[in-house]
Amino acid sequence: VQLQASGGGLVQAGGSLRLSCSTSGRTFTRFDIGWFRQAPGKEREYVVGPNWSDTSTYYADSVKGRFTISKDNAKNTVYLQMNSLKPEDTALYYCAADIRRVGGRWISNYRGQGTQVTVSS
């Protein structure tokens, strides 16, 4: 399973970025893809993606109302639209597949290398 994230960069607080996650058609069909992020010195955080308990979409409280996940079936690509960015959104963002909630923690069996998002104040 290969997942390739792109679209990160440096943006001022209040700005927007759109991340992309490209994968193969087989992976795209087999899994619902989500996004994690990890900032230096902090634990990995599940940001948005499939909810383990039902078919809804999970959004971390920290991004609700600001981030939106979408996908383009024709391109086998999942997008993460990030608006009203804050300095605390600075992190390495990576897309992941086969996401589960185990022991109260979100885990993924597959993930890409990630793309860096830096939000300046």
Side-chain angles (χ1 to χ4, degrees):
V1 174
Q2 291 187 329
L3 300 158
Q4 181 63 52
S6 62
L10 174 64
V11 63
Q12 288 188 333
S16 299
L17 279 176
R18 189 179 75 161
L19 307 183
S20 301
C21 177
S22 299
T23 187
S24 69
R26 180 175 180 179
T27 299
F28 193 82
T29 301
R30 182 180 177 190
F31 299 110
D32 287 322
I33 293 171
W35 292 88
F36 285 79
R37 69 183 180 185
Q38 187 161 21
K42 294 186 178 180
E43 291 190 357
R44 185 176 68 168
E45 180 184 19
Y46 184 38
V47 178
V48 59
N51 204 335
W52 174 243
S53 59
D54 54 43
T55 59
S56 67
T57 300
Y58 169 87
Y59 284 90
D61 288 341
S62 56
V63 306
K64 281 182 180 176
R66 301 188 298 121
F67 289 13
T68 304
I69 191 170
S70 63
K71 61 181 180 180
D72 186 330
N73 294 333
K75 296 182 178 180
N76 299 328
T77 300
V78 174
Y79 302 101
L80 177 61
Q81 179 67 43
M82 306 184 295
N83 299 327
S84 301
L85 283 161
K86 305 174 181 180
E88 50 263 43
D89 294 318
T90 296
L92 180 67
Y93 286 73
Y94 54 95
C95 48
D98 196 10
I99 298 166
R100 308 176 185 208
R101 188 164 177 83
V102 179
R105 299 183 63 183
W106 290 98
I107 63 171
S108 63
N109 285 327
Y110 307 102
R111 68 179 194 184
Q113 291 185 331
T115 184
Q116 178 68 37
V117 172
T118 303
V119 184
S120 63
S121 58

